[in-house]
Structure formats: structure tokens, C-alpha cells
Amino acid sequence: MAFLKELEQFFEKHIEGFFRRRFAAGIQPVEIGKKIVRAMEQNLQISVSKTYAPNHYAVCLNPEDLRRMQSLDISLTDELAQYIIKKAKQQGLNLAGSPVVELREDVALTLGELRIETAFMQEKEALPPTEADYAGTQVFEGVNAARDLPAKVRHKAIPCAALRVREGVDAGTAWELGNNRIYIGRRQTNEIPLNDMNASRVHAYIALEDGRHVIHDAKSLNGTYVNGERIVRKTLCCGDCIKVGNSTLVYEVM
């Protein structure tokens, strides 16, 4: 019960209005979080000196349950990925890479049923971790975690880049980008927390894809703009201006 309470509090803190949305039937988001952590604990790989947890989780759902989960105002998968990081850190586990949670449809499942499939994903290849490959690896958290990776684990060279606030209440503030997913918005646990009341709690995120930083809108209320154009996903180039709420951030490559 303590675990469920902790999970509920996590969602309540990170998802605005979460508990105002009622699911009359079918799977509950808290149940997904509970099953994911159980799957993580049941699929550990132990090396000589470290214990590794899976970093890829496929949540298989009945089509109706899948539709309901996708109707949430923010990305449930991103919030679950953040919770995996938190639980792995609490239990002293190492992740093989940035955690990824995806929702999948399975017509064989009845309403309220779910199945979790786990995998160890090294960049884009499904490779189990080894002591040699991951020596010195730490739990992936924060914008500078990429520096802790040994060179041979890195899929591609990481561009030396940063986001700098040019306009807005946080003007002059800058954050270095690495190879981990970077969340932008009003939520104070984001890697880039903004004090802009017109930004969503989780407004957008930046991910490293094929050696390039790509910005994704996170179903924000006011939208994410790059060079004046509203985007869902866009590969960033040096000098691009990103509009989040009333803030303008510039992508700089150094």
C-alpha cells in the first residue's frame, strides 16, 4: 500500500488534474506504474559488481485501455520513464540507457489486462549489458550524465550544444545539452525548469536522434514553435529560436 501511495503522489505531483480524470472501467495509470516496477525488479541482470535494470518497457494494453491512456493531457510514457529513473536510483540499480516506455495495442488482452515486456536497449540495438561495456556507468539522470559513459558505449559523437533563454523571465539562463532526454517546462524537476506561467508543466523535450538534437512538443497547451513555426517534432540547427510560452530559447552549438 505504501508503494501505491507513493506512485499516486508521484502522478499527482507531475500530472496536473490527474485525479480529476476518472476511469470508470479498465486499467488505471497507477496500475501500469506498479507493473512496470515489478517487471524491472524481476528482470535484473547482475554482473560482477553492478546490477542492471531494463531500460525499455513495452506496455501491452487492450485497444480501449490504450485509447484512454493516450487521451491524457500529457505523455504518460514520459512520466513513467521519469518514475523508472527515480526507482532505479532508490534501489541502487544501473540503467543500460535512458528509459523508454511505449504503449502497444494487444487485441488478445481484455479490458483491464496488461502485459509488460522488458528489454535492455543499448542505443538502438537490443543488447544486454556486460561489465566490460558498462564499466563506470551511472543511472541516467540530468543533462550531463552522458559524460559518465565510456566512449565505446556512445552510439555517435554527442554535439556540444546548449539552450539559452534570450527572452522571458529566465533570460540569460543557459543549460548544456547531452545525450539524455531533456524536459522543458514549468515542472521544477525538469532538466530545464522555466518560471514562465504560459509554459505547460511538461511543455516539450529534446532527444538525441542519430547524432542530432530533436525537439518534440509534449502535447503542450500553447504549442511549441521553432523559428515561428508550430512543430510536433523538428531537428534543431545552430541558431534556431524555440518559443515556449512567452520564453524564447536559442539552440547554440559550440
Side-chain angles (χ1 to χ4, degrees), residues 77-250:
T77 56
D78 289 343
E79 297 300 330
L80 288 168
Q82 290 295 308
Y83 193 71
I84 290 169
I85 292 174
K86 176 182 176 181
K87 295 306 293 183
K89 186 174 183 179
Q90 286 179 350
Q91 298 183 30
L93 302 174
N94 292 270
L95 293 170
S98 299
V100 175
V101 179
E102 61 173 311
L103 304 181
R104 294 180 182 173
E105 179 179 309
D106 188 339
V107 296
L109 296 174
T110 61
L111 191 67
E113 280 190 308
L114 75 153
R115 185 179 73 258
I116 307 293
E117 298 176 355
T118 66
F120 291 85
M121 303 293 288
Q122 182 177 329
E123 297 293 344
K124 294 189 176 180
E125 302 173 5
L127 299 176
T130 66
E131 181 67 16
D133 286 341
Y134 292 96
T137 303
Q138 299 178 2
V139 173
F140 279 62
E141 186 173 17
V143 298
N144 294 317
R147 294 175 176 175
D148 297 324
L149 283 170
K152 62 181 176 180
V153 175
R154 297 176 185 169
H155 181 65
K156 291 192 175 184
I158 302 169
C160 185
L163 274 187
R164 185 179 306 278
V165 181
R166 188 173 69 185
E167 298 177 5
V169 294
D170 300 294
T173 309
W175 296 268
E176 182 181 347
L177 305 180
N179 73 334
N180 289 334
R181 185 172 290 191
I182 305 298
Y183 291 89
I184 306 169
R186 285 191 295 109
R187 188 181 67 180
Q188 289 305 302
T189 54
N190 289 333
E191 284 74 14
I192 298 182
L194 298 176
N195 296 304
D196 185 339
M197 296 307 296
N198 287 294
S200 297
R201 288 174 63 83
V202 181
H203 197 104
Y205 64 89
I206 294 175
L208 190 68
E209 301 176 14
D210 294 323
R212 301 283 301 277
H213 283 122
V214 179
I215 188 167
H216 299 254
D217 180 69
K219 300 181 181 179
S220 62
L221 180 63
N222 296 320
T224 302
Y225 296 79
V226 177
N227 300 328
E229 178 183 355
R230 186 164 185 168
I231 59 94
V232 174
R233 174 188 181 279
K234 185 174 178 59
T235 301
L236 293 171
C237 297
C238 184
D240 279 349
C241 293
I242 302 166
K243 186 77 170 180
V244 172
N246 288 333
S247 301
T248 299
L249 299 89
V250 180

Side-chain angles (χ1 to χ4, degrees), residues 3 6 32-46 51-57 83-84 86-95 116-120:
F3 170 81
E6 178 189 6
I32 297 177
K34 178 182 177 181
K35 294 271 189 177
I36 282 180
V37 173
R38 182 175 298 172
M40 177 180 72
E41 295 172 342
Q42 292 176 344
N43 291 277
L44 301 176
Q45 290 194 9
I46 302 175
T51 301
Y52 296 96
N55 65 311
H56 189 274
Y57 299 80
Y83 193 71
I84 290 169
K86 176 182 176 181
K87 295 306 293 183
K89 186 174 183 179
Q90 286 179 350
Q91 298 183 30
L93 302 174
N94 292 270
L95 293 170
I116 307 293
E117 298 176 355
T118 66
F120 291 85

Side-chain angles (χ1 to χ4, degrees), residues 17-67:
F18 177 79
F19 289 102
R20 292 196 295 271
R21 184 187 296 272
R22 299 299 180 190
F23 295 87
I27 200 70
Q28 300 291 322
V30 171
E31 295 176 60
I32 297 177
K34 178 182 177 181
K35 294 271 189 177
I36 282 180
V37 173
R38 182 175 298 172
M40 177 180 72
E41 295 172 342
Q42 292 176 344
N43 291 277
L44 301 176
Q45 290 194 9
I46 302 175
S47 66
V48 176
S49 60
K50 293 183 175 64
T51 301
Y52 296 96
N55 65 311
H56 189 274
Y57 299 80
V59 181
C60 302
L61 299 165
N62 171 272
E64 177 62 19
D65 281 323
L66 178 62
R67 183 190 66 78

